Amino acid sequence: MSKPFSVPVFPAPLPQTPGAEGNGASNAADLLDDPAEWPHFGRPLAGAQAGERWESHLVIEGMHCAACALTIEDALRAVPGVEQVEVSSATRRARVLWNAGLARPSQWLDAVRKAGYRALPAVDVAAREQRLRENRSALWRWLVAGFCMMQVMMYAWPAYIAQPGDLSLEMEALLRWASWVISLPVVLFACGPFFSSAWADVRHRRISMDLPVALGMGITFGISTLGTFAPEGLFGREVYYDSLTMFVFFLLTGRLLELRLRDRTAGALEALMNRLPDSIERRGSDGGFSRVALRRLVQGDVVRVLPGEVFPADGSIVAGNSRVDEALLTGESTPRWRTVGAQVSAGSVNLEAALEVQILRLGPDTRFGEIVALMESASLQKPRLAQLADRVARPFLVGVLLAALGALLWWWPSDPQHALMVAVSVLIVTCPCALSLATPVAMLSAAGALAREGVLVRNLQALETLAGVDTVVFDKTGTLTHDRMALAQAELAPGWTQAAALGLAAALARHSLHPASRALVAAYEAMAPGASPAWEVLDASETAGRGISAQVRPAGSTDVPRAVRLGSAEHAAVERPDLDGVQVSLAWADGPQAGRWCAHFALQEDLRSEVPSLLRALAAAGIGVQVLSGDGSASVARVAERAGIAQWRGDCTPADKLEALRALQARGRRVAMVGDGLNDGPVLAAAHVSFALGSAVPLARLRSDFVLLSGQLRLVGQCGLLSRQTMRVVRQNLWWAAGYNALCVPLAVVGLMPAWLAGLGMAASSLLVVTNAARLARTLPPLHAASATPSLPVAAVARA
Amino acid sequence: MDILYVLIPLSVGLVLLVLLALWWAVYRGQFENVDQEAERILRDN
């Protein structure tokens, strides 16, 4: 079977685009106009005009703060045919919705280039190379600035300590000349990005963080050069090479660390996205295996996955067996044993032996593909607080420029040189970057930490909402229990032991798939593991919903078989026992003992082991818990009682649930819904925040804000704790950024802040914000910690 | 102290040489995978 063309596969390498710099850039962009390339960095949107509307992802180079993100958004939106644009300053990624009938990728890529930035399609190979280049050049600029700073400081030292007359004029001139030479690489090379980005700002009549910084650097270097070569001029003979190189070094240190932290924070998401191999061994028509690129695979191909390799697609095993690590997709850390016929998912790792796998689903259709699509769209959303910061950033920068100008004019009449240096300090000390990074960085670190535990955040905004939740509603009993029952109690007739009764019941139960039957079999196997069956069962038959009838005789004997029944009391024709839970009776149906019961078993829903600690943690955090279930009231009551939940309702229709939810919300409660994410669309949508324990459900159909891939209920509590921590960090960051700027700008305006200190302050404040957020990425808060701190104050901590 | 008139220009040249060495190190990837190289000595082969 051959197919005319391959299904869109991702992520697949782009064709090499040599010389993508400068003139070559437009050619590379033209290549992307080929519709065959589009699936590699985006996907078509379903809907009325299928195949017309596309969603594409870009990596943006040269972006430094929130104001840049706004500029790029504006530039992209101005292109006809581009319908929707989201640019994230934290991840430097852009999402573009565009209409293939009206626009081509080269047009909007060009728009980004004209705005002064470089856009690359977000395909992994290209993105990875770009990351490496970016890291290397950041490190290189930092080393140049650092080393030159040390040297300049050495040349400046004699002037610091010299008494009048110690230093001859020639010697001083020589030292200044040497400082000037060593400062040149710093200004021309290490500051390059600041200047080019500021120049782009000027040309496009807009403003970003780099404009004041570049102005400050330019002015300082200008004054110092004049002081060196024209000491008799207006600006006197003072030089500031030491201040200049030091604050460039501090700024670059900040940027470098920020870059590293961002890489690590994005690491959890990136690890997910960069997971698939580039190539794989495929079985050809001659039966031999040859290595082909991932995008050449089609459905139905058989591929060989070697130990240590990652499965490229969803498929079923046709040969071999091995242990498979599915941690990334399910959060389940123990490797699973997989044999012929078992399903494997793209993105999981083959650990032990080579497997041959027939491909069932490829690319975006795989579970892995769904997860990646979810993560990509989630990491782009701007939380409300971040939007606020973005709006503040631009007027703030205008204010800073005006303040610098004001300070300059005020000091000019007394001392032009001092006036310029004060203006420089004002320009440098302000840090709107800290303000605009405060929220997105914290939310992304949190999302990264959750992703490692198998929790997908579909909507970053939800983290903010979750922090304020005070009621958790479980919309199914099944979310609190395993989807199986467990033997709770057995009542035995005289003459029977539990082992004997259970052995006979299990022998019958093996012929049925009813949950109660499976519970009996499981209970017997747990009691006597590996025991050979004590009974031979002949012609077993199941009456649906009632029970099983069969003929049995002791194993190995040739006795006349006896009729026996297992099931409800009516089925077994015995009196109803007085037991709690679902009852199953075992009784002889013929012979002298006909109608005499042998044993009654009581089965109960198997409460998940993590439920008690989850409920304790929620209670400790001041969060109420309710159950609104569609199951019968009796079983809901049983589960609620065993879990210790006081408020419950059974027999709810979806309309009832919606009504109950609305009633809660009308009383001012903020509600999180936990369900399987499928059946209760309107209910999930109506809740403030929703969780889905979706392990077997197509993710694209889930409507919830959080998806717990591993189905571990404790993560609901941990998400809640983490969201509170996240909001605490966001508030700290915002307060810090606002307080820092409020304190430092006035100090600089009155001339109390030298340029080097201003540079240090700016770098440190940006860095502090990012480091504070990176705390969230470490591990999820453990549940038991919650009980140690009874109340979780969400108070802002401002440090001045 | 006249020697300083030679030594200072010399130091400027030296700085440029050191920068060249740093450039070589950065672009040959000497600073990538720093952790991995440190662990290499603990491996058997």
Side-chain angles (χ1 to χ4, degrees), chain A residues 401-771:
Chain A
L401 286 183
L402 291 178
L405 188 67
L408 178 68
L409 292 180
W410 174 257
W411 292 99
W412 187 273
S414 55
D415 182 356
Q417 192 185 15
H418 181 59
L420 273 174
M421 286 320 286
V422 167
V424 165
S425 298
V426 175
L427 291 174
I428 294 165
V429 80
T430 54
C431 189
C433 278
L435 204 60
S436 56
L437 278 175
T439 315
V441 160
M443 300 235 164
L444 277 179
S445 319
L450 287 174
R452 273 204 303 275
E453 294 283 330
V455 181
L456 298 186
V457 185
R458 282 179 63 110
N459 182 354
L460 283 184
Q461 177 84 49
L463 276 172
E464 197 182 328
T465 323
L466 180 60
V469 157
D470 58 10
T471 307
V472 174
V473 175
F474 292 92
D475 82 344
K476 286 229 163 0
T477 329
T479 50
L480 290 169
T481 58
H482 293 290
D483 50 3
R484 54 169 195 254
M485 320 245 333
L487 180 64
Q489 201 185 345
E491 195 182 335
L492 303 167
W496 283 89
T497 65
Q498 181 148 348
L502 206 51
L504 178 56
L508 266 80
R510 275 180 214 283
H511 297 266
S512 154
L513 289 174
H514 191 275
S517 306
R518 281 188 290 181
L520 287 174
V521 174
Y524 179 63
E525 278 171 357
M527 193 178 195
S532 57
W535 297 88
E536 186 182 350
V537 178
L538 307 164
D539 52 283
S541 68
E542 182 174 3
T543 317
R546 292 172 59 83
I548 306 162
S549 317
Q551 306 278 327
V552 295
R553 63 183 174 204
S557 78
T558 50
D559 297 357
V560 180
R562 300 179 61 187
V564 67
R565 289 184 169 199
L566 175 75
S568 65
E570 296 77 37
H571 178 73
V574 294
E575 266 182 47
R576 217 179 146 68
D578 185 24
L579 290 175
D580 205 21
V582 173
Q583 294 134 17
V584 179
S585 302
L586 179 70
W588 296 116
D590 64 359
Q593 291 150 308
R596 288 261 300 280
W597 61 282
C598 314
H600 297 301
F601 301 103
L603 302 174
Q604 282 184 341
E605 292 81 1
D606 193 6
L607 201 66
R608 286 168 186 266
S609 56
E610 68 259 36
V611 166
S613 63
L614 171 69
L615 292 179
R616 262 201 312 279
L618 288 178
I623 296 175
V625 177
Q626 301 195 2
V627 178
L628 288 177
S629 175
D631 298 349
S633 287
S635 76
V636 179
R638 262 198 317 274
V639 172
E641 193 210 346
R642 286 180 49 212
I645 299 173
Q647 287 173 295
W648 56 268
R649 260 177 75 183
D651 292 318
C652 289
T653 63
D656 290 340
K657 289 184 190 175
L658 198 57
E659 195 184 316
L661 191 66
R662 294 250 158 85
L664 275 172
Q665 289 174 336
R667 273 185 281 146
R669 309 298 293 263
R670 307 188 62 79
V671 182
M673 230 26 209
V674 185
D676 64 8
L678 255 197
N679 309 332
D680 302 306
V683 185
L684 284 182
H688 291 105
V689 186
S690 50
F691 289 83
L693 289 98
S695 40
V697 176
L699 290 171
R701 282 162 62 202
L702 290 180
R703 303 261 192 92
S704 63
D705 302 312
F706 294 87
V707 182
L708 310 184
L709 289 175
S710 59
Q712 291 199 37
L713 215 51
R714 69 177 164 84
L715 289 171
V716 173
Q718 289 182 306
C719 283
L721 293 178
L722 186 69
S723 72
R724 291 184 178 196
Q725 264 182 18
T726 308
M727 292 320 290
R728 214 153 45 218
V729 165
V730 165
R731 288 200 177 83
Q732 284 165 3
N733 279 353
L734 284 176
W735 275 110
W736 161 258
Y740 164 82
N741 283 309
L743 183 74
C744 290
V745 175
L747 277 183
V749 168
V750 297
L752 289 177
M753 175 122 1
W756 64 267
L757 187 60
L760 181 63
M762 173 178 171
S765 97
S766 245
L767 208 58
L768 191 83
V769 165
V770 179
T771 329

Side-chain angles (χ1 to χ4, degrees), chain A residues 132 136 140 147 151 155 175, chain B residues 11 15 18-19 23 27 32:
Chain A
L132 184 66
R136 280 185 176 178
W140 170 227
F147 193 69
Q151 199 57 35
Y155 297 142
L175 286 173
Chain B
S11 70
V15 166
V18 169
L19 286 182
W23 174 83
Y27 285 91
E32 279 138 38

Side-chain angles (χ1 to χ4, degrees), chain A residues 147-338:
Chain A
F147 193 69
C148 291
M149 175 204 68
M150 291 194 263
Q151 199 57 35
V152 166
M153 211 50 78
M154 261 195 261
Y155 297 142
W157 185 244
Y160 286 0
I161 55 166
Q163 302 297 320
D166 276 1
L167 217 52
S168 71
L169 270 182
E170 293 84 35
M171 183 53 77
E172 199 176 18
L174 182 65
L175 286 173
R176 288 179 171 200
W177 168 82
S179 304
W180 183 79
V181 173
I182 302 293
S183 302
L184 271 182
V186 177
V187 174
L188 296 183
F189 172 70
C191 304
F194 297 105
F195 284 122
S196 58
S197 145
W199 175 236
D201 285 351
V202 173
R203 267 188 322 177
H204 296 94
R205 294 200 195 84
R206 55 155 198 247
I207 190 163
S208 83
M209 196 46 226
D210 290 321
L211 183 59
V213 167
L215 267 179
M217 291 169 180
I219 294 174
T220 318
F221 189 66
I223 301 178
S224 308
T225 307
L226 285 177
T228 309
F229 296 106
E232 272 67 56
L234 172 63
F235 296 111
R237 52 191 316 282
E238 281 299 308
V239 293
Y240 299 94
Y241 298 116
D242 48 348
S243 281
L244 173 70
T245 47
M246 206 182 338
F247 103 75
V248 171
F249 174 69
F250 287 144
L251 279 189
L252 288 175
T253 307
R255 290 247 162 122
L256 183 72
L257 289 176
E258 223 177 283
L259 194 74
R260 295 256 157 117
L261 279 173
R262 196 195 62 202
D263 280 2
R264 218 177 47 203
T265 309
L269 306 181
E270 296 272 328
L272 202 63
M273 296 181 192
N274 293 340
R275 187 77 173 192
L276 295 194
D278 294 330
S279 63
I280 193 79
E281 288 182 6
R282 179 176 65 177
R283 188 158 72 192
S285 46
D286 58 350
F289 283 91
S290 59
R291 199 158 267 279
V292 297
L294 204 53
R295 60 204 276 191
R296 299 264 170 259
L297 293 180
V298 295
Q299 236 168 322
D301 276 349
V302 173
V303 295
R304 182 161 64 189
V305 182
L306 302 175
E309 274 190 330
V310 172
F311 293 98
D314 287 0
S316 65
I317 299 176
V318 290
N321 41 42
S322 172
R323 232 170 266 283
V324 175
D325 177 4
E326 298 171 346
L328 195 79
L329 299 180
T330 61
E332 168 65 58
S333 53
T334 349
R336 293 302 177 84
W337 184 249
R338 293 281 182 255

